[in-house]
Amino acid sequence: MTTNTTRDAATTAAGTGPVRAGGGTSVLLRDLTRAFGVTRALDGLSIEMAPGELVALLGPSGCGKTTALRIVAGFEIADTGSVLVDGKDISSVPAARRDMGMVFQSYSLFPNMSAQDNVAFGLRMRKIGTGGRRKRAGDLLDMVGLGPQAGQYPHQLSGGQQQRVALARALAIEPRVLLLDEPLSALDAKVRLQLREQIRTLQQRLGTTTLFVTHDQEEALSIADRVGVMSNGKLEQLAAPDELYTSPASAFVAEFVGVMNRVPGELRGGGMVTALGSTMPVRGHIPDETPVDVLVRPEDLTMQVVEHGNGIVTTRTFLGSVTRVGVQLDGDVAVQVDRPSAESAALAPGASVSVSLPGQPVLVATRRVS
Amino acid sequence: MGQATQAPGSRTDPGVAGPGPAAGPASRVTLALRWLRLVAGVVPFGIYVTLGLLLPMIAVAVGAFQNNDGGFTFSNVSAATHGIYLKGFWQSIILSLLTSVIPGILGLLIAYAIFTAKRGKVLRQVAITAAGVFANFGGVPLAFLFIATLGSSGLVSQWLTSLGFNPYDHGFTLYSLTGVVVVYLYFQIPLMVLVILPALEGLRPAWREAAENLGARTWEYWRYVGGPVLLPSFLGCVLLLFGSALSAYATTEALTNGTIPLTAIQIGSFLNGNVIAGQENIGKALGLGMVVIIAIAMIVYVVMQRRAARWLR
Ligand SMILES: Nc1ncnc2c1ncn2[C@@H]1O[C@H](COP(=O)(O)OP(=O)(O)OP(=O)(O)O)[C@@H](O)[C@H]1O
Ligand SMILES: [Mg+2]
């Protein structure tokens, strides 16, 4: 019985699947604060999400990502601030009436129900008849590639399969907003990659506005339309992945996203800084406390092989088209420099090199005492 | 054992060695070792069960069909299933059912209250410790405690009388089956709290939140998720209470002086030797009856459990 219906559904659902009519939902988190005792989990967080957009929330452990998500879902109450969905304040709407699909980190499937019944649960709560439930649950399981596993219980499914069922379950209620709290963190690297692409494809097809919490920067940068980097309950920057990488708004973002070198610098008057022998303008905030470091990406440093340069090559790592070269600079400073692999034959460990800054505006941060 | 695993030919650990194309004798050694390892774990428990349960049960079962000269007879079983002994069985079953199902439900509710007392970690620990003490408090001291409080001239009875409600004028007496039920609740409820608490703690908060997120109200969560997940453990705990009530002896004996016919007390009087000559083996027939009751309870449990825990297999 079950197998037949799902197999029929497979042929009809393949390719198209349920597509949302209309433009999707806009979401606004406005100035959210939440304290647990003395811990300020959220400290004035504001995020605006366009209809159909996927925003990833990225940040170190304990920065308040989960708290933000749970406030949107209605499991947690903000001390101040509000959440607006399509312009309406939903603060007083209970979680069960918010129409938000949530995928938890792991083990959230109801253990006493088959995959099919798990997916159909939200529809059952919405008083949809057995036939309609079964059809839609079947469609969704096919959509996540689990049609044949419809009758299995959660403990008979792998971790990746369970998370796909959880995703189907969240999508079954045609949520206005999809909330994902590190849905892939319990999975191994390969499954993680597959599932991440699957989530993105589905999300784009359905046009569901999605908030995706993760502490994996690669995941955030690859899946999201925009990435919000958080630290200490605040949003540091909300920008498209490439913008986040090329023009980070703060030293925190710069160092959290991608690889970043710190080179000792000296502030000059008039918003200038000197490092490695060149002087250039400071971009963004000028720190009050000295001494300072200049922040520069491996690909933004220039390097020549010279006798008696300012550094010695220590390591060389082949990364495909580029090779990452570790250099020990005078004054016990280690930096990484990317060079095209084709030009890095001479950069063997021990080679003397001269590393310099190209003179573009740079980010500057107070030096860390170590 | 450690040396044996280094047996020639068994290059890998016998625990993981597959039935590969290894040389005949070596693989037989490996197999034997693996079998030994499997069996060794259950040997102590096996001995315990045999000595503590199986042999006594056989002795009781055989004795139940023997007359004083060792010959075969049905008269013991016949006597045990008639008159005062039959009444004893019924009373025992009713008492055990009442004092397993009622405390089962009440204990579950109390355990749930303890479980949800997030704020009071200390209170919670105190409650669990207290339950442990109360669940193990029984026998003559417990009977005395109740006589001193709920007995005809007990503290609580007198206090109620002073308020104008003498429970003994309203059909209550501690020395009846009702009284015994009340006394049993005293240790059965805390016992239930102790055994069901781990099951409650196994309910993941994520299930609750997922249900809520999908539109379920509180009762719908319990109806479709929390209840079904707890049911197998709940049934197991109630069975435990049933067995505990069926075999409870000292408290009732002290409380009622044997005036209420209950099988455990009747068996007790056979053990004490105050029986008519020639009827000694009726005690064994009663014991056999108890075994049968427990066996039936177990079968009912297994059937219900299999239905309730279909999703676990
Ligand atoms: N229920 C709670 N009670 C007390 N403190 C809490 C509670 N929930 C969160 N916190 C605290 O609030 C801060 C933010 O927690 P949150 O779970 O939002 O972080 P997160 O960014 O999701 O971290 P992670 O990446 O580790 O999941 C942390 O310091 C945490 O200890
Ligand atoms: Mg978190």
Side-chain angles (χ1 to χ4, degrees):
Chain A
M1 266 288 280
T2 316
T3 355
N4 275 341
T5 32
T6 43
R7 202 169 293 144
D8 291 347
T11 46
T12 52
T16 55
V19 176
R20 165 177 298 282
T25 308
S26 72
V27 180
L28 176 62
L29 285 66
R30 201 162 56 188
D31 217 12
L32 295 175
T33 63
R34 176 72 166 110
F36 297 101
V38 291
T39 322
R40 298 182 72 83
L42 289 184
D43 192 6
L45 176 76
S46 296
I47 296 175
E48 191 171 357
M49 295 171 71
E53 189 180 29
L54 193 161
V55 169
L57 268 189
L58 177 66
S61 185
C63 71
K65 306 180 296 288
T66 298
T67 306
L69 201 78
R70 290 172 59 83
I71 287 174
V72 177
F75 296 135
E76 198 78 72
I77 297 166
D79 297 335
T80 63
S82 49
V83 177
L84 276 70
V85 173
D86 274 342
K88 284 197 208 71
D89 190 338
I90 56 162
S91 304
S92 59
V93 181
R97 298 280 164 273
R98 287 197 181 188
D99 270 333
M100 299 204 174
M102 181 142 177
V103 180
F104 298 80
Q105 193 166 339
S106 56
Y107 308 117
S108 72
L109 291 184
F110 307 132
N112 58 321
M113 295 182 201
S114 64
Q116 163 116 1
D117 290 341
N118 261 283
V119 176
F121 186 80
L123 306 172
R124 187 174 194 177
M125 294 302 106
R126 283 163 177 71
K127 309 280 180 276
I128 291 167
T130 320
R133 286 207 304 259
R134 178 170 295 182
K135 162 121 183 46
R136 180 144 176 81
D139 285 356
L140 277 151
L141 282 172
D142 286 329
M143 210 159 78
V144 297
L146 286 177
Q149 279 81 17
Q152 294 190 1
Y153 287 101
H155 75 99
Q156 298 168 317
L157 299 170
S158 74
Q161 290 174 327
Q162 290 186 28
Q163 286 307 74
R164 281 190 278 167
V165 174
L167 179 66
R169 182 176 70 176
L171 289 172
I173 59 170
E174 296 190 38
R176 298 204 288 169
V177 182
L178 188 60
L179 304 171
L180 305 124
D181 190 0
E182 311 206 19
L184 309 176
S185 65
L187 309 175
D188 68 61
K190 199 175 152 210
V191 180
R192 207 166 158 148
L193 205 69
Q194 286 174 348
L195 198 44
R196 157 173 120 196
E197 276 159 21
Q198 199 169 21
I199 289 175
R200 180 56 163 163
T201 312
L202 279 175
Q203 185 268 335
Q204 284 180 323
R205 195 162 91 202
L206 303 174
T208 312
T209 313
T210 300
L211 192 56
F212 186 108
V213 162
T214 176
H215 61 239
D216 179 338
Q217 54 150 310
E218 191 208 329
E219 199 166 279
L221 296 177
S222 63
I223 201 176
D225 292 309
R226 287 190 300 156
V227 178
V229 179
M230 284 181 70
S231 110
N232 295 322
K234 285 197 192 72
L235 192 65
E236 290 275 332
Q237 187 174 11
L238 178 61
D242 55 339
E243 192 189 338
L244 209 60
Y245 187 82
T246 54
S247 30
S250 66
F252 177 84
V253 176
E255 290 189 281
F256 196 75
V257 177
V259 177
M260 191 55 93
N261 291 306
R262 275 177 174 257
V263 181
E266 214 170 307
L267 286 173
R268 308 281 169 206
M272 303 296 279
V273 63
T274 306
L276 296 181
S278 26
T279 302
M280 58 237 121
V282 175
R283 188 165 68 77
H285 174 72
I286 299 176
D288 306 325
E289 283 175 55
T290 50
V292 295
D293 283 333
V294 164
L295 304 182
V296 57
R297 299 243 183 244
E299 64 269 28
D300 292 337
L301 282 168
T302 51
M303 177 167 65
Q304 266 105 37
V305 182
V306 292
E307 269 180 58
H308 310 299
N310 61 355
I312 302 282
V313 173
T314 54
T315 58
R316 184 166 62 170
T317 314
F318 177 71
L319 299 175
S321 63
V322 299
T323 291
R324 181 157 294 170
V325 183
V327 179
Q328 189 74 28
L329 295 178
D330 296 343
D332 203 23
V333 177
V335 293
Q336 296 183 308
V337 186
D338 283 357
R339 302 287 298 159
S341 293
E343 299 167 22
S344 51
L347 296 164
S352 170
V353 291
S354 163
V355 176
S356 57
L357 279 158
Q360 305 292 327
V362 287
L363 283 167
V364 172
T366 305
R367 190 171 306 161
R368 282 187 297 234
V369 275
S370 52
Chain B
M1 271 297 264
Q3 279 177 342
T5 56
Q6 302 296 324
S10 65
R11 254 165 286 165
T12 49
D13 179 71
V16 289
S27 70
R28 212 171 300 146
V29 168
T30 327
L31 274 177
L33 272 175
R34 211 193 305 173
W35 184 83
L36 250 178
R37 277 193 181 183
L38 262 175
V39 172
V42 294
V43 162
F45 187 66
I47 293 172
Y48 175 66
V49 167
T50 311
L51 291 181
L53 192 65
L54 225 50
L55 290 181
M57 253 169 68
I58 291 170
V60 164
V62 170
F65 294 98
Q66 275 178 340
N67 59 26
N68 274 5
D69 308 325
F72 178 84
T73 177
F74 267 121
S75 65
N76 299 323
V77 175
S78 168
T81 49
H82 287 90
I84 190 73
Y85 296 124
L86 180 64
K87 191 160 182 230
F89 277 126
W90 280 125
Q91 298 256 52
S92 291
I93 291 171
I94 289 167
L95 177 70
S96 303
L97 277 178
L98 285 175
T99 58
S100 56
V101 174
I102 298 172
I105 293 166
L106 292 178
L108 177 66
L109 295 177
I110 293 171
Y112 181 70
I114 294 175
F115 170 64
T116 49
K118 281 182 208 132
R119 307 235 165 235
K121 283 242 166 73
V122 176
L123 183 84
R124 201 186 121 106
Q125 204 49 53
V126 168
I128 292 170
T129 311
V133 172
F134 288 137
N136 287 301
F137 189 49
V140 181
L142 179 63
F144 182 75
L145 186 121
F146 267 88
I147 291 167
T149 47
L150 275 175
S152 48
S153 54
L155 274 176
V156 174
S157 306
Q158 286 190 339
W159 178 67
L160 285 173
T161 309
S162 75
L163 291 179
F165 180 87
N166 182 354
Y168 283 78
D169 290 345
H170 292 79
F172 175 83
T173 159
L174 189 61
Y175 317 105
S176 64
L177 196 66
T178 323
V180 174
V181 169
V182 171
V183 176
Y184 276 28
L185 293 187
Y186 180 93
F187 59 87
Q188 293 282 74
I189 291 175
L191 181 60
M192 182 66 185
V193 170
L194 282 184
V195 292
I196 198 73
L197 207 54
L200 272 170
E201 279 164 354
L203 291 177
R204 288 175 185 279
W207 296 336
R208 178 94 189 232
E209 288 180 350
E212 204 181 333
N213 179 251
L214 293 165
R217 279 161 288 186
T218 302
W219 72 266
E220 284 168 321
Y221 163 74
W222 286 108
R223 162 76 184 78
Y224 296 111
V225 184
V229 171
L230 268 188
L231 191 59
S233 318
F234 178 78
L235 291 175
C237 293
V238 167
L239 179 74
L240 185 79
L241 295 194
F242 183 86
S244 152
L246 192 67
S247 57
Y249 164 75
T251 314
T252 327
E253 169 69 19
L255 195 66
T256 64
N257 256 322
T259 50
I260 299 174
L262 288 172
T263 310
I265 293 176
Q266 290 167 342
I267 293 175
S269 65
F270 279 100
L271 288 177
N272 292 340
N274 41 0
V275 285
I276 306 158
Q279 294 198 341
E280 289 88 349
N281 278 355
I282 292 177
K284 287 181 180 157
L286 291 176
L288 185 62
M290 293 273 259
V291 172
V292 170
I293 292 171
I294 285 287
I296 291 170
M298 295 272 283
I299 290 166
V300 171
Y301 163 73
V302 167
V303 169
M304 286 168 75
Q305 153 89 16
R306 282 177 81 89
R307 289 204 50 181
R310 215 174 336 198
W311 48 274
L312 273 175
R313 275 172 290 132

